[in-house]
């Protein structure tokens, strides 16, 4: 048999094998039963989620980290609107950096997912309180007070408009940290100038300026 006939027979064999394989593939049927489709949609609806900064309640940064999850997702849409109308479809990723749409208030982020079948999830959401404004304080007693008394109480009003005050730290006239909430009592004020310092930290971890109150002891 000539070489050319061998080549022809080899090509015929390849064509036959390809045809058989293609015919077998065409006979594969994907499960599109109503029960399975309903089950997949229920799973898509119930398990899709977006989470901001690992579920944190507060942040002082506008740029946050999103954790994203949805079964069999191939595309996702991130949005600032409750109906996800201002988002654009993009390839699915389990994490994404996102800039919050507002500052110093509770802010929501919304996400929607599309799976391999083209089924679309509800528009799911998470929220976080953004706060980048430190707390403030105002001493109730007038500064520059002169007294002969050894015992002296320094008190103040504190305020935080967004996340709320988390901790208050104070130091006495000797520079020693003392427990405090809205006042500090010094039992033995020393002769001369005495100073108490107050610093506030809010729930978003903003730290206030150092507030100082001084008075003069003259015996």
């Amino acid at each position: 048999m000539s070489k050319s006939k061998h080549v022809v027979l080899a090509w015929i064999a390849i064509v036959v094998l390809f045809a058989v394989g293609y015919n077998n593939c065409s006979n594969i049927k994907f499960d599109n039963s109503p029960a399975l489709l309903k089950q997949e949609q229920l799973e898509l609806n119930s398990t899709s989620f977006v989470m901001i900064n690992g579920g944190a309640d507060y942040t002082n940064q506008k740029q946050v980290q999103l954790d994203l999850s949805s079964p069999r997702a191939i595309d996702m849409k991130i949005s600032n609107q409750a109906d996800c109308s201002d988002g654009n479809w993009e390839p699915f990723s389990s994490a994404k950096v996102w800039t919050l749409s507002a500052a110093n208030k509770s802010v929501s982020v919304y996400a929607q997912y599309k799976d391999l079948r083209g089924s679309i999830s509800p528009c799911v959401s998470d929220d976080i309180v953004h706060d980048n404004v430190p707390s403030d304080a105002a001493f109730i007693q007038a500064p520059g007070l002169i007294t002969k008394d050894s015992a002296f109480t320094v008190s103040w009003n504190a305020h935080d408009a967004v996340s709320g005050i988390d901790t208050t730290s104070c130091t006495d006239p000797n520079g020693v940290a003392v427990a405090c909430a809205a006042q500090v009592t010094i039992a033995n004020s020393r002769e001369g100038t005495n100073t108490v310092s107050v610093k506030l930290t809010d729930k978003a971890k903003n730290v206030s300026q150092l507030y100082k109150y001084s008075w003069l002891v003259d015996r």
Side-chain angles (χ1 to χ4, degrees), residues 61-62 80 99-108 128 130-131:
Q61 303 293 318
K62 285 199 71 177
N80 292 316
T99 301
L100 297 174
S101 62
N104 298 308
K105 60 185 295 186
S106 179
V107 186
S108 296
I128 194 167
H130 176 272
D131 177 8

Side-chain angles (χ1 to χ4, degrees), residues 132-160:
N132 62 7
V133 180
S135 309
D136 57 78
F139 292 106
I140 296 173
Q141 296 178 358
L145 182 67
I146 300 175
T147 181
K148 63 179 181 179
D149 298 330
S150 295
F152 194 86
T153 298
V154 178
S155 55
W156 59 89
N157 290 326
H159 172 260
D160 190 276

Side-chain angles (χ1 to χ4, degrees), residues 165-181:
I165 297 168
D166 187 28
T167 61
T168 304
S169 57
C170 303
T171 56
D172 68 11
N174 297 313
V176 177
V178 292
C180 61

Side-chain angles (χ1 to χ4, degrees), residues 181-202:
Q183 66 179 36
V184 171
T185 297
I186 307 301
N188 295 297
S189 298
R190 62 191 178 188
E191 186 82 5
T193 301
N194 292 260
T195 300
V196 164
S197 299
V198 179
K199 186 165 58 179
L200 311 167
T201 303
D202 66 19

Side-chain angles (χ1 to χ4, degrees), residues 12-44:
I12 291 173
I14 291 171
V15 170
V16 170
L17 288 171
F18 179 80
V20 171
Y22 179 82
N23 185 60
N24 288 338
C25 287
S26 66
N27 289 330
I28 295 175
K29 295 187 180 299
F30 295 96
D31 189 349
N32 289 315
S33 65
L36 179 62
L37 294 175
K38 182 178 180 181
Q39 177 184 340
E40 289 184 353
Q41 187 65 53
L42 287 173
E43 183 183 9
L44 187 67

Side-chain angles (χ1 to χ4, degrees), residues 113-130:
Y113 304 96
K114 186 187 296 182
D115 70 7
L116 290 165
R117 293 185 185 272
S119 300
I120 297 176
S121 77
C123 196
V124 295
S125 68
D126 192 22
D127 58 79
I128 194 167
V129 174
H130 176 272

Side-chain angles (χ1 to χ4, degrees), residues 1-13:
M1 186 180 291
S2 67
K3 183 177 180 181
S4 61
K5 287 184 178 179
H6 278 294
V7 172
V8 171
L9 289 174
W11 275 107
I12 291 173

